[in-house]
């Protein structure tokens, strides 16, 4: 089931991984199944919100990547003398092999062009189906350029080059910015790893932390780790 490009099956897989990981972490911290399940359920809504945003973001990145590939294909095809309709048809025939996300929409776009819909309307329809801002911007450029008599082949060639450069630049920026995020996640998971190791190596050493005043210490450690994770995640969330 999908809603605006959201894949519930993918979300379900992430939820299963989260439930297992969260219970393991909370069990290591508090050594009580009831507390582990309760904390897992309390933090589940936050995880669901973040994973929905993450899945939608990743899908939009795939759509934009395939759209840039499509523009490059259209540019080459039209430069060789073929029509926009023929270029879309060739892209649609490539199917899932080249356009794993857009292939169904490309088939629909080709049928619309066959029925004499204007290119700007076809791409606007594609933008609405994919809920993608870049495709919508492209359709708006076409809606202004085509009535003005602009060279469509030259316009698509120029936009293809510009979009490709932008995609490469943003990919490099994202790669650089992801490093602090991964460092933060590794640092946050290390206390749990150390607790698990100590429980295996010297269980008697860790036993006082699971009873009496030790519970307060573990709760304080958990709160501090959670607070540090939230701050690190916020600092690493840079918009560009």
């Amino acid at each position: 089931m999908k809603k605006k490009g959201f894949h519930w099956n993918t979300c379900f897989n992430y939820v299963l991984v989260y439930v297992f990981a969260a219970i393991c972490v909370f069990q290591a911290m508090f050594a009580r199944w009831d507390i582990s399940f309760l904390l897992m359920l309390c933090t589940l809504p936050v995880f669901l919100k973040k994973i929905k945003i993450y899945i939608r973001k990743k899908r939009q990145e795939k759509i934009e990547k395939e759209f840039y590939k499509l523009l490059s294909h259209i540019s080459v095809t039209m430069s060789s003398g073929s029509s926009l309709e023929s270029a879309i048809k060739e892209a649609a025939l490539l199917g899932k092999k080249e356009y794993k996300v857009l292939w169904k929409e490309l088939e629909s776009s080709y049928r619309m062009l066959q029925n004499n819909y204007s290119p700007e309307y076809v791409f606007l329809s594609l933008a609405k189906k994919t809920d993608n801002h870049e495709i919508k911007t492209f359709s708006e450029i076409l809606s202004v350029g085509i009535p003005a008599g602009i060279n469509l082949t030259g316009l698509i060639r120029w936009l293809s080059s510009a979009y490709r450069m932008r995609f490469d630049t943003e990919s490099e920026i994202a790669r650089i910015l992801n490093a602090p995020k991964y460092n933060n996640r590794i640092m946050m998971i290390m206390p749990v790893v150390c607790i698990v190791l100590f429980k295996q190596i010297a269980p008697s050493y860790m036993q006082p932390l699971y009873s009496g005043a030790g519970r307060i210490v573990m709760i304080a450690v958990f709160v501090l780790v959670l607070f540090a994770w939230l701050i690190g995640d916020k600092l690493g969330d840079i918009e560009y």
Side-chain angles (χ1 to χ4, degrees), residues 83-98:
S83 63
L84 176 62
E85 181 180 332
S86 299
I88 296 294
K89 179 182 179 181
E90 290 180 10
L93 290 176
L94 293 175
K96 288 185 176 181
K97 182 178 181 180
E98 293 293 332

Side-chain angles (χ1 to χ4, degrees), residues 149-215:
I150 195 170
N151 184 342
L152 183 59
T153 302
L155 174 64
I156 293 179
R157 185 189 304 116
W158 181 81
L159 288 174
S160 174
S161 177
Y163 280 142
R164 174 54 59 183
M165 183 178 298
R166 175 183 174 179
F167 179 80
D168 292 341
T169 303
E170 289 183 347
S171 298
E172 182 64 19
I173 293 174
R175 186 187 65 81
I176 295 173
L177 294 179
N178 279 336
K181 294 182 180 180
Y182 292 132
N183 290 339
N184 179 61
R185 292 166 187 169
I186 293 173
M187 291 177 64
M188 292 304 100
I189 201 64
M190 286 310 297
V192 178
V193 174
C194 291
I195 290 174
V196 173
L197 289 177
F198 275 115
K199 286 180 68 175
Q200 297 298 321
I201 297 173
S204 59
Y205 179 79
M206 297 294 298
Q207 192 60 37
L209 294 175
Y210 297 115
S211 60
R215 290 284 185 188

Side-chain angles (χ1 to χ4, degrees), residues 33-210:
W33 289 107
D34 53 347
I35 295 178
S36 300
F37 277 105
L38 179 62
L39 289 175
M40 181 273 294
L41 292 175
C42 290
T43 54
L44 182 59
V46 178
F47 173 80
L48 286 175
K49 181 179 179 181
K50 293 182 74 67
I51 203 62
K52 286 180 181 179
I53 296 173
Y54 172 79
I55 293 175
R56 288 196 179 105
K57 180 180 178 181
K58 287 299 181 182
R59 185 173 188 273
Q60 289 300 318
E61 288 177 356
K62 291 179 181 178
I63 289 174
E64 290 179 5
K65 184 177 181 180
E66 292 184 4
F67 177 64
Y68 300 153
K69 184 188 296 184
L70 174 65
L71 286 185
S72 178
H73 173 77
I74 293 175
S75 174
V76 173
T77 304
M78 293 185 68
S79 296
S80 64
S82 298
S83 63
L84 176 62
E85 181 180 332
S86 299
I88 296 294
K89 179 182 179 181
E90 290 180 10
L93 290 176
L94 293 175
K96 288 185 176 181
K97 182 178 181 180
E98 293 293 332
Y99 303 97
K100 296 180 180 180
V101 181
L102 289 179
W103 71 279
K104 287 186 177 180
E105 283 73 18
L106 290 179
E107 290 180 346
S108 177
S109 298
Y110 171 61
R111 288 193 295 269
M112 292 175 69
L113 288 172
Q114 281 186 314
N115 292 324
N116 296 322
Y117 283 92
S118 63
E120 55 269 33
Y121 181 83
V122 170
F123 280 100
L124 179 60
S125 177
L126 179 61
K128 290 180 179 179
K129 291 178 181 178
T130 58
D131 194 28
N132 186 264
H133 178 72
E134 293 297 326
I135 302 179
K136 182 180 179 181
T137 301
F138 177 75
S139 68
E140 292 173 350
I141 294 173
L142 291 183
S143 66
V144 175
I146 292 179
I150 195 170
N151 184 342
L152 183 59
T153 302
L155 174 64
I156 293 179
R157 185 189 304 116
W158 181 81
L159 288 174
S160 174
S161 177
Y163 280 142
R164 174 54 59 183
M165 183 178 298
R166 175 183 174 179
F167 179 80
D168 292 341
T169 303
E170 289 183 347
S171 298
E172 182 64 19
I173 293 174
R175 186 187 65 81
I176 295 173
L177 294 179
N178 279 336
K181 294 182 180 180
Y182 292 132
N183 290 339
N184 179 61
R185 292 166 187 169
I186 293 173
M187 291 177 64
M188 292 304 100
I189 201 64
M190 286 310 297
V192 178
V193 174
C194 291
I195 290 174
V196 173
L197 289 177
F198 275 115
K199 286 180 68 175
Q200 297 298 321
I201 297 173
S204 59
Y205 179 79
M206 297 294 298
Q207 192 60 37
L209 294 175
Y210 297 115

